[in-house]
Amino acid sequence: MHMLNLGILAHVDAGKTSLTERLLHSAGVIDEIGSVDDGNTRTDTLALERQRGITIKSAVVSFPLDGVTVNLIDTPGHPDFIAEVERVLGVLDGVVLVISAVEGVQAQTRVLMRTLQRLRIPTLLFVNKIDRGGARHEALLREISARLTPAIVPMGTATGLGARTARFIPGPGPGGALDVLAEHDDTLLAAYVENTVTDALLHASLVRQTRECLVHPVYFGSAATGAGVAALLSGVETLLPVADGDADGPVSATVFKIDRGPAGEKVAYTRMYSGTLRVRDKVSFGADGAEGRITGISVFGDGTDIRADSVTAGRIARLTGLGHIRIGDAIGEPRKAHEHFFAPPTLETVVVPGPDVDRGALHVALTQLAEQDPLIGLRRDERRRETSVSLYGEVQKEVIQATLAGEYGLDVTFRETTPLCVERLVGSGQAVEFNKKDPNPFLATVGLRVDPAPVGSGVGFRLEVELGSMPYAFFKAVEDTVRETLEQGLHGWRVDDCVVTMTHSGYSPRQSHAHQGFDKSMSSTGADFRGVTPLVLCEALRRAGTRVHEPLHRFRVEAPADTVGALLPALARFSAVPETTRNRKDLCVLEGTVPAARVHALQQELPGLTRGEGELESSFAHYAPVTHGTIPERPRTDHNPLNRKEYLLNVTRRVGG
């Protein structure tokens, strides 16, 4: 039987989880449709999800569709949980992107659509809630064309909008979008010129172009009443590509989610691309080639997961036994390097434990949460005994707090959320410390040069010395330490977009006295290179200079035109810079940039400034140099190589200069 791994994506409150319930009911998997309001949906299994009525973790459920078994993956809609969506995108064969017929295209919708198009994932659009007051059809199609993509093919017409009797009438389908299809199909264009276009030719062109992500069929309907759902299921079956892969080929799979079983064991949600995995198979995984033995496999079918002896290419499975596996790890042959599709978190806060909270237990709990959310980083400050967590937004902070209380029994609060800045080099700089020369107390020669690199290029490490000039382990120690040290620049922020070049190297060969063992005091070790590298690198950074950059969001405010007089001073107060202003009937649309740290406050104040009619959309744009106020500093968590005396006292017992 063919497999189709299908994602359901949407902005928050578009009705994504309700659509999942309706699809499962239509396929005969469940007898009664669950309700988000009642907290009894099949995919929102976390108590917190049911309490808040939002999806926080992605969930997999399966249903049969004629000759295809569909693995349906419900993903979060709230932008604070975009990390969950990111991990799912790489394992999908197709997507249904849900849009509300009332709220229309939202900022999150556009972010998702841009990403789906960039990754060329075949996508159907489902306009939900046609039974709600304010639902739109023609106007919404124009909005989709203007704000998402003009390459849409309406697959029918919605009638009776705004009432429980609203219906979706299929047709004319591709015949009504001949111009859109002919743009990418020379055969169809020739047939149009010769007046020989047939329904079969149109349908074949629609199937091909949908699967190539050139066009996007649009369905209207209601998850609440079931209108349009049968037509959508037909489109899923006929227009989206099924999973491919050779069951007899080499094992290749990707882990996109980590969960914990009843006994606390790791459960890895895995998409199989090639080969077959069996219980008791020994497999390699991750960049370091770690090995583990699979102790259990379950696959998805008929609305639940079923124990199995094996899993083949194309399927999604839950694997146990791989204790050290992480999200994003490849099992067997890597398919491709893991990519980040969305912007990283731009906010940070310090977790403050309650008076009776054990700090060790809190650290374990936070580590497990970060393990399940790899884009959510932890920063441990051993000296202050504090842990910082990076965030996408305030809702995520509330969810972390509730999760720690509900699942771990840990009562915590948070300090004020602050922006997560980066440092970028102003110029180039270099430094060197020579072996056996004062004031270097380490038995190692390390010279480093730092140079700026293009924005978005990350950190590069290069050699200007011969690789054979000393043992490879010493080079590896230098590179690893360079990357670790760059997490805290001159102002305490991560140094990004630079190239570090090793210009000098040297070591003391292994020494021993006659009839005695290895003499550590006369021979270089990896610890020497790990000790001296931060001193050299920080001196090179000091000579190059760094500038702190803060995260900026691009915003779009839509508000009544007569409220702009009150709105503009407020935007200035939040350091928001409007770049374009245009009027649309009695509305004014302002677009520009605003510091990420001020978005939440602006969102809270906007209703009062616009009589409750203003709408704010924002998403990460870029980092920009801090130009106002004092330069933000971040407390260091290391032994501070910027202070040589303090550093040497902490790192080595030898007396340094």
Side-chain angles (χ1 to χ4, degrees):
M1 178 175 279
H2 294 301
M3 303 295 303
L4 169 62
N5 298 301
L6 178 69
I8 305 289
L9 274 63
H11 65 82
V12 68
D13 289 336
K16 187 172 36 62
T17 300
S18 299
L19 178 60
T20 299
E21 290 290 308
R22 176 61 67 173
L23 292 174
L24 295 176
H25 182 265
S26 299
V29 170
I30 57 177
D31 297 325
E32 185 177 346
I33 296 175
S35 166
V36 174
D37 293 335
D38 295 338
N40 58 355
T41 58
R42 179 62 64 96
T43 52
D44 283 348
T45 56
L46 296 178
L48 191 57
E49 290 178 314
R50 295 179 168 179
Q51 176 187 334
R52 297 184 66 103
I54 60 173
T55 301
I56 297 170
K57 297 291 183 184
S58 58
V60 184
V61 66
S62 180
F63 66 87
L65 186 60
D66 291 339
V68 180
T69 295
V70 179
N71 286 325
L72 190 64
I73 306 177
D74 184 19
T75 61
H78 199 287
D80 281 14
F81 308 107
I82 198 69
E84 278 290 320
V85 180
E86 168 165 294
R87 295 193 288 275
V88 169
L89 289 181
V91 306
L92 298 178
D93 302 306
V95 162
V96 173
L97 180 61
V98 185
I99 303 170
S100 168
V102 181
E103 289 86 7
V105 175
Q106 302 289 296
Q108 180 78 344
T109 318
R110 296 206 299 274
V111 169
L112 293 170
M113 190 64 178
R114 284 196 301 267
T115 306
L116 292 169
Q117 290 178 317
R118 188 169 75 247
L119 300 176
R120 303 193 67 79
I121 299 176
T123 302
L124 309 181
L125 305 181
F126 182 75
V127 179
N128 191 25
K129 302 185 180 180
I130 64 171
D131 58 319
R132 299 285 184 88
R136 297 167 292 153
H137 180 256
E138 291 296 334
L140 189 52
L141 284 174
R142 290 193 296 271
E143 183 178 326
I144 291 171
S145 180
R147 300 184 67 187
L148 276 189
T149 171
I152 58 174
V153 180
M155 300 300 289
T157 305
T159 62
L161 296 178
R164 294 284 294 181
T165 55
R167 292 289 177 265
F168 177 71
I169 303 173
L178 181 58
D179 292 344
V180 173
L181 292 172
E183 186 176 341
H184 301 286
D185 191 329
D186 292 340
T187 302
L188 183 60
L189 181 60
Y192 173 69
V193 172
E194 297 168 3
N195 199 28
T196 58
V197 175
T198 63
D199 288 343
L201 186 62
L202 281 167
H203 182 72
S205 181
L206 176 65
V207 171
R208 180 183 64 79
Q209 293 194 48
T210 301
R211 293 180 178 182
E212 293 178 3
C213 205
L214 296 173
V215 300
H216 306 283
V218 183
Y219 298 85
F220 281 71
S222 168
T225 67
V229 172
L232 175 63
L233 281 171
S234 177
V236 168
E237 180 186 2
T238 59
L239 299 178
L240 295 179
V242 296
D244 57 5
D246 181 7
D248 298 321
V251 169
S252 178
T254 298
V255 176
F256 66 92
K257 177 180 176 179
I258 295 289
D259 212 342
R260 292 274 174 176
E265 74 278 14
K266 276 190 181 180
V267 180
Y269 285 70
T270 306
R271 160 71 192 264
M272 293 289 297
Y273 293 105
S274 173
T276 300
L277 282 178
R278 299 175 179 83
V279 176
R280 291 186 293 278
D281 276 358
K282 191 174 184 180
V283 296
S284 61
F285 57 86
D288 299 331
E291 291 190 337
R293 192 176 300 278
I294 296 172
T295 58
I297 296 175
S298 56
V299 297
F300 294 90
D302 295 327
T304 186
D305 57 302
I306 307 161
R307 299 288 293 183
D309 295 325
S310 63
V311 57
T312 58
R315 303 203 70 157
I316 288 176
R318 300 170 79 242
L319 307 179
T320 55
L322 308 178
H324 299 290
I325 202 160
R326 297 170 299 179
I327 289 173
D329 277 354
I331 297 176
E333 291 190 2
R335 185 166 175 262
K336 62 179 180 180
H338 177 69
E339 299 178 53
H340 290 319
F341 310 133
F342 300 106
T346 56
L347 302 172
E348 185 178 54
T349 185
V350 174
V351 183
V352 181
D356 299 322
V357 170
D358 179 81
R359 291 178 181 269
L362 176 60
H363 180 66
V364 170
L366 287 170
T367 301
Q368 289 189 3
L369 292 182
E371 183 182 83
Q372 297 168 24
D373 267 329
L375 289 189
I376 310 307
L378 293 182
R379 184 172 184 264
R380 179 77 171 165
D381 187 338
E382 296 292 349
R383 291 191 297 173
R384 297 173 183 81
R385 300 188 68 196
E386 293 179 347
T387 300
S388 302
V389 58
S390 52
L391 303 165
Y392 281 95
E394 295 297 318
V395 172
Q396 187 181 22
K397 185 163 70 173
E398 295 170 15
V399 167
I400 291 173
Q401 184 180 32
T403 302
L404 289 172
E407 296 187 17
Y408 297 92
L410 302 172
D411 179 30
V412 303
T413 56
F414 298 93
R415 290 191 194 151
E416 182 182 0
T417 302
T418 56
L420 198 53
C421 300
V422 299
E423 293 181 47
R424 291 195 172 123
L425 295 177
V426 175
S428 298
Q430 59 184 354
V432 62
E433 297 266 355
F434 291 100
N435 183 14
K436 297 181 180 178
K437 287 190 178 180
D438 287 338
N440 178 15
F442 300 100
L443 294 178
T445 294
V446 173
L448 298 171
R449 184 178 69 248
V450 293
D451 298 293
V455 173
S457 61
V459 175
F461 183 79
R462 299 174 184 169
L463 297 178
E464 276 186 3
V465 294
E466 292 291 334
L467 188 58
S469 62
M470 64 180 187
Y472 174 74
F474 294 162
F475 285 111
K476 187 70 168 65
V478 172
E479 180 178 358
D480 289 347
T481 307
V482 161
R483 296 187 183 278
E484 181 181 331
T485 304
L486 287 176
E487 289 297 312
Q488 301 182 84
L490 302 182
H491 301 278
W493 305 102
R494 186 183 80 251
V495 181
D496 213 352
D497 302 324
C498 65
V499 175
V500 180
T501 304
M502 190 170 182
T503 58
H504 296 75
S505 66
Y507 74 110
S508 296
R510 185 181 181 92
Q511 302 287 330
S512 62
H513 299 294
H515 310 298
Q516 293 182 8
F518 167 53
D519 188 346
K520 183 178 178 181
S521 66
M522 300 174 63
S523 311
S524 297
T525 66
D528 287 298
F529 287 89
R530 288 190 294 272
V532 74
T533 296
L535 290 172
V536 178
L537 181 57
C538 283
E539 181 58 30
L541 289 175
R542 196 177 344 234
R543 293 175 182 178
T546 66
R547 182 177 291 126
V548 176
H549 289 59
E550 66 179 339
L552 294 186
H553 278 216
R554 177 154 292 281
F555 75 85
R556 181 181 186 274
V557 171
E558 190 173 290
D562 62 351
T563 65
V564 172
L567 189 56
L568 288 175
L571 291 175
R573 193 167 68 252
F574 291 116
S575 303
V577 180
E579 297 171 354
T580 62
T581 305
R582 64 181 186 275
N583 291 317
R584 196 176 67 198
K585 295 184 180 179
D586 56 348
L587 292 176
C588 182
V589 179
L590 298 93
E591 295 184 352
T593 57
V594 58
R598 313 304 295 275
V599 171
H600 183 64
L602 175 59
Q603 206 162 27
Q604 289 183 315
E605 193 162 322
L606 186 64
L609 297 168
T610 61
R611 302 190 300 272
E613 299 178 45
E615 294 182 3
L616 171 67
E617 301 174 2
S618 75
S619 59
F620 174 78
H622 58 271
Y623 287 94
V626 175
T627 57
H628 53 276
T630 57
I631 300 299
E633 301 280 338
R634 192 189 198 195
R636 302 190 70 91
T637 62
D638 58 10
H639 294 304
N640 193 12
L642 293 171
N643 184 328
R644 187 183 186 94
K645 184 175 181 180
E646 176 188 327
Y647 178 81
L648 292 175
L649 285 173
N650 281 294
V651 173
T652 178
R653 296 185 179 215
R654 300 187 183 111
V655 178

